[in-house]
Amino acid sequence: MTLARSTTVALLVCLLTACGTDPIQMSGDPAMIPPFKSFRIDEEQFVFATEITTEQRDQVSRKLREAAVSALEKRGYQEATDADVLVALGAMSRPTLSEESGSSGGLHHVDTTVLDAGRPFTPSASEIPPSGVGREGDLMLSLRDAKTKRALWQASSNGAATTPAEALRKARSTYAAMVAKLPKAGSAHQ
């Protein structure tokens, strides 16, 4: 596996980590969302635990977008340029330490030089988590009225994954679980 491909695989594990079995937190009552039939993803925000290339960002973005679009379409909504609702997607990843890697408590050295605004941030090999370190993250999906830009509803979930296939499966199931809380396309909440 090439270095670029393995880095992309690691990024997918980092980003697509929300688990469909973890609780979904919601802001807003789905019953109060006005009926809508179409959507457009107009915003994607990603926060990565490490620096990535533009190609890697595009690949992860595409996979997250596909998972969200698929979930919305299965619920009966149609993707459209002139949509009723605007959708924002967000993902954040962070490394976690296992018991074996020394996370059992105690004090750890903290590199305070990262707080120096004049120092450019370029993670060294020692700052990038090793392959045995876990990854966890959050997925978010929010809806806004396309005309007024008023927030209608938001859902988020967090979880962990160890392989890219598991991460993608969990992202798909999480988006499906989030969207299942919405009324079916064009109807009031049931």
Side-chain angles (χ1 to χ4, degrees):
M1 184 180 296
T2 67
L3 178 59
R5 176 132 171 90
S6 64
T7 303
T8 299
V9 168
L11 289 169
L12 286 172
V13 170
C14 286
L15 280 179
L16 301 176
T17 58
C19 178
T21 59
D22 288 337
I24 293 174
Q25 311 235 337
M26 293 188 300
S27 175
D29 182 358
M32 301 304 292
I33 298 172
F36 68 98
K37 294 180 181 179
S38 61
F39 70 94
R40 176 172 50 97
I41 296 177
D42 75 325
E43 187 177 340
E44 298 171 6
Q45 295 183 358
F46 306 114
V47 178
F48 300 92
T50 59
E51 293 290 322
I52 63 165
T53 67
T54 301
E55 179 182 299
Q56 292 165 333
R57 177 178 291 277
D58 291 346
Q59 184 178 16
V60 171
S61 172
R62 183 177 43 79
K63 294 219 181 266
L64 286 173
R65 175 185 265 280
E66 287 171 359
V69 167
S70 175
L72 287 160
E73 287 176 341
K74 286 178 182 172
R75 190 73 177 159
Y77 302 106
Q78 295 179 356
E79 190 170 18
T81 304
D82 187 26
D84 303 322
V85 169
L86 302 175
V87 177
L89 303 176
M92 179 176 68
S93 70
R94 58 198 165 272
T96 59
L97 299 175
S98 65
E99 292 296 320
E100 296 81 36
S101 64
S103 67
S104 58
L107 297 176
H108 301 280
H109 171 72
V110 176
D111 179 9
T112 58
T113 62
V114 298
L115 301 175
D116 179 7
R119 176 182 174 236
F121 178 72
T122 51
S124 67
S126 65
E127 293 175 289
I128 298 173
S131 61
V133 173
R135 305 285 194 279
E136 67 178 20
D138 305 301
L139 283 181
M140 290 138 295
L141 183 142
S142 64
L143 305 179
R144 293 184 326 279
D145 182 273
K147 291 181 178 125
T148 66
K149 307 296 188 247
R150 183 177 63 90
L152 299 172
W153 181 79
Q154 180 175 326
S156 64
S157 182
N158 62 47
T162 57
T163 67
E166 178 188 25
L168 184 55
R169 181 184 54 77
K170 286 183 174 187
R172 286 180 181 140
S173 67
T174 298
Y175 278 132
M178 288 175 176
V179 171
K181 299 196 180 290
L182 297 173
K184 288 191 178 188
S187 66
H189 196 356
Q190 301 177 11

